[in-house]
Amino acid sequence: MSDIDVKPETIAKPKTKQPPLHKVILLNDDYTPREFVVVVLRAVFHTTDEQAYGIMLTAHQRGACVVAVFTREIAETKASEATDLGRRAGHPLTFTTEPEE
Ligand code: TYC
């Protein structure tokens, strides 16, 4: 046993803080073709075909699905890139972001 008495106030706290993470959420709609959703998920979020299909199906069945989490700026950039791909093809496909609990 050590004889050195370390007072609580002298114990160093870690000084690095992780940035808060934000979810990118895929919303279901009645018009965007399923295959188009899969293509967008693969292109913007670099998922496999199987992952993209699973995410698309969850959003289709439940109304929404978390795609991935990133720092706020990356989440917002990816959500608007993916939403823009849909708009440019004439689809109402929508991705939103929200802070992680
Ligand atoms: N519900 C769409 C259809 O039946 C497919 C779809 C799935 C659209 C998921 C958006 O986030 C979505 N064609």
Side-chain angles (χ1 to χ4, degrees):
M1 272 265 270
S2 166
D3 290 337
I4 301 166
D5 183 19
V6 179
K7 294 186 193 144
E9 63 270 26
T10 65
I11 297 170
K13 288 203 192 96
K15 290 196 176 70
T16 51
K17 232 178 135 189
Q18 303 302 317
L21 295 175
H22 290 243
K23 299 181 275 193
V24 176
I25 300 163
L26 167 65
L27 304 181
N28 186 38
D29 66 71
D30 292 338
Y31 304 102
T32 307
R34 291 179 179 213
E35 192 47 46
F36 185 85
V37 180
V38 170
V39 167
V40 170
L41 288 168
R42 294 195 60 175
V44 177
F45 299 96
H46 308 291
T47 67
T48 64
D49 202 38
E50 288 73 21
Q51 289 165 340
Y53 193 83
I55 293 165
M56 179 280 296
L57 206 57
T58 299
H60 177 75
Q61 291 168 344
R62 299 190 182 182
C65 182
V66 175
V67 178
V69 292
F70 301 101
T71 55
R72 184 179 56 78
E73 198 176 342
I74 294 173
E76 288 174 355
T77 301
K78 285 188 177 284
S80 53
E81 272 175 16
T83 299
D84 281 356
L85 284 175
R87 290 299 178 282
R88 271 186 253 142
H91 301 307
L93 182 65
T94 301
F95 292 79
T96 62
T97 65
E98 65 175 61
E100 225 184 20
E101 316 77 46

